[in-house]
């Protein structure tokens, strides 16, 4: 990315974050995993680019997941796709601890975790055109109008995703918040660098496991939108 674009996204993002780190109880096993296993399966935030050649035992497609929460879907997808590498990014300590302990328990060699703001991670750690797909399942909807500015999916993230995805790479976003879904569809549709994928907007069962927040939304009677766009 050009220097000016990077410093602009930096400046914009420093002001407003898309999350609040909640206290939330962290169990002993989550804490131990976070403290002890991180050095094996975690990747520390850094302001320099990752060397993707040496991160995983096999060089294969790379999918990023932003905001995996407690990580059930993340773990299931990684387990079912051993021929793809996955990096999950999350700021919620219990979720990070849980996924790390499950990676060890399941012996997964294709999933690694970063505990940091995903916007800064994308800005600094990934070379341009290095990612095959980005999953964002049930981003915080920030429903109050005065909080809309906190929404993760905005023009800053879009610029970063455009730069970091390979050509024909995809973005898969799921949400149960229809007003946010409309905003996301409009944002992506207005970008000349993305085209809608034919599987997008389906309301039937998607080719992904359900997530904790999705189940919560369904229990409240919310409709689920899966939005998939490909980089041109
Ligand atoms: C509503 S939860 C959904 C979690 C999970 N994907 C699910 O569907 O159950 C959104 C998650 O995104 C994380 N998140 C929000 N902004 C983030 C950011 N900038 N970087 C990393 N994680 C973020 C939050 O900590 C939270 O766990």
């Amino acid at each position: 990315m050009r220097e000016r674009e990077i410093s602009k996204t930096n400046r914009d993002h420093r002001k407003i974050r898309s999350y609040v780190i909640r206290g939330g109880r962290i169990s002993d096993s989550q804490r131990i995993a976070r403290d002890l296993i991180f050095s094996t399966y975690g990747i520390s935030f850094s302001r320099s680019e990752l060397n993707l050649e040496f991160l995983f035992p096999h060089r294969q497609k790379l999918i990023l997941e932003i905001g995996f929460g407690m990580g059930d879907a993340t773990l299931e997808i990684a387990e079912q796709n051993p021929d793809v590498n996955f990096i999950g990014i999350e700021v919620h300590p219990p979720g990070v601890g849980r996924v790390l302990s499950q990676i060890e328990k399941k012996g997964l060699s294709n999933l690694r975790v970063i505990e940091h703001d995903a916007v800064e991670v994308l800005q600094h750690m990934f070379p341009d055109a290095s990612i095959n797909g980005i999953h964002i399942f049930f981003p915080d909807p920030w429903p109050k109008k005065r909080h809309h500015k906190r929404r993760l999916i905005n023009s800053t993230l879009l610029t970063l995703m455009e730069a970091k995805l390979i050509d024909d790479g995809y973005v898969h976003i799921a949400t149960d918040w229809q007003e946010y879904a409309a905003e996301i569809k409009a944002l992506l549709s207005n970008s000349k660098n993305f085209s809608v994928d034919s599987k997008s907007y389906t309301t039937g069962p998607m080719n992904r496991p359900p997530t904790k927040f999705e189940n919560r939304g369904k229990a409240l009677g919310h409709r689920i939108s899966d939005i998939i766009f490909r980089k041109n």
Side-chain angles (χ1 to χ4, degrees):
M1 283 178 82
R2 289 196 307 273
E3 276 307 310
R4 252 208 349 259
E5 276 175 309
I6 292 173
S7 69
K8 181 174 183 307
T9 49
N10 246 330
R11 213 172 43 238
D12 291 345
H13 192 66
R14 248 200 321 267
K15 293 182 228 149
I16 303 154
R17 299 213 182 249
S18 59
Y19 58 87
V20 174
I21 298 184
R22 304 178 295 280
R25 207 186 95 73
I26 182 160
S27 71
D28 286 345
S29 66
Q30 289 163 359
R31 188 177 38 74
I32 290 166
R34 193 163 159 259
D35 294 349
L36 301 181
I37 310 176
F38 189 86
S39 57
T40 313
Y41 304 109
I43 304 168
S44 298
F45 173 70
S46 150
R47 285 181 197 278
S48 46
E49 277 183 3
L50 281 170
N51 187 340
L52 296 170
E53 286 287 335
F54 301 111
L55 265 186
F56 294 94
H58 306 289
R59 186 82 208 261
Q60 41 196 16
K61 280 185 184 169
L62 177 66
I63 306 291
L64 217 65
E65 182 177 349
I66 300 179
F68 57 74
M70 294 309 281
D72 296 281
T74 316
L75 289 157
E76 197 175 323
I77 293 172
E79 211 171 354
Q80 286 172 1
N81 295 279
D83 55 343
V84 179
N85 292 329
F86 295 89
I87 296 179
I89 311 173
E90 180 50 76
V91 290
H92 183 50
V96 171
R98 175 160 189 276
V99 168
L100 288 170
S101 74
Q102 291 294 310
I103 291 175
E104 181 162 83
K105 200 166 155 193
K106 292 172 184 286
L108 294 177
S109 61
N110 63 334
L111 174 59
R112 308 282 300 267
V113 173
I114 302 177
E115 183 178 344
H116 196 81
D117 183 343
V119 177
E120 291 186 357
V121 169
L122 275 173
Q123 278 169 349
H124 297 287
M125 296 180 73
F126 287 90
D128 286 356
S130 63
I131 301 170
N132 296 77
I134 299 178
H135 295 171
I136 310 178
F137 298 151
F138 303 90
D140 297 287
W142 291 108
K144 290 182 185 153
K145 199 161 186 310
R146 69 173 191 280
H147 287 150
H148 284 187
K149 57 183 181 288
R150 283 183 171 272
R151 287 180 169 172
L152 172 70
I153 299 158
N154 57 20
S155 57
T156 301
L157 186 72
L158 187 72
T159 305
L160 282 165
M161 295 196 298
E162 279 167 0
K164 305 301 169 182
L165 282 168
I166 61 159
D167 289 346
D168 206 41
Y170 70 90
V171 185
H172 182 169
I173 300 167
T175 181
D176 65 332
W177 202 260
Q178 290 315 309
E179 179 259 328
Y180 195 12
E183 184 180 304
I184 295 165
K185 285 175 208 169
L187 187 73
L188 282 150
S189 306
N190 288 334
S191 160
K192 61 181 187 330
N193 295 321
F194 282 101
S195 302
V196 66
D197 187 285
S198 57
K199 295 192 292 294
S200 212
Y201 310 162
T202 31
T203 47
M206 274 305 297
N207 189 18
R208 62 167 177 80
T211 79
K212 189 174 162 188
F213 270 78
E214 174 172 14
N215 291 336
R216 194 178 285 182
K218 278 183 178 159
L220 294 168
H222 295 176
R223 185 159 62 85
I224 308 299
S225 291
D226 278 271
I227 301 164
I228 307 173
F229 275 75
R230 284 197 178 270
K231 183 174 158 183
N232 298 325

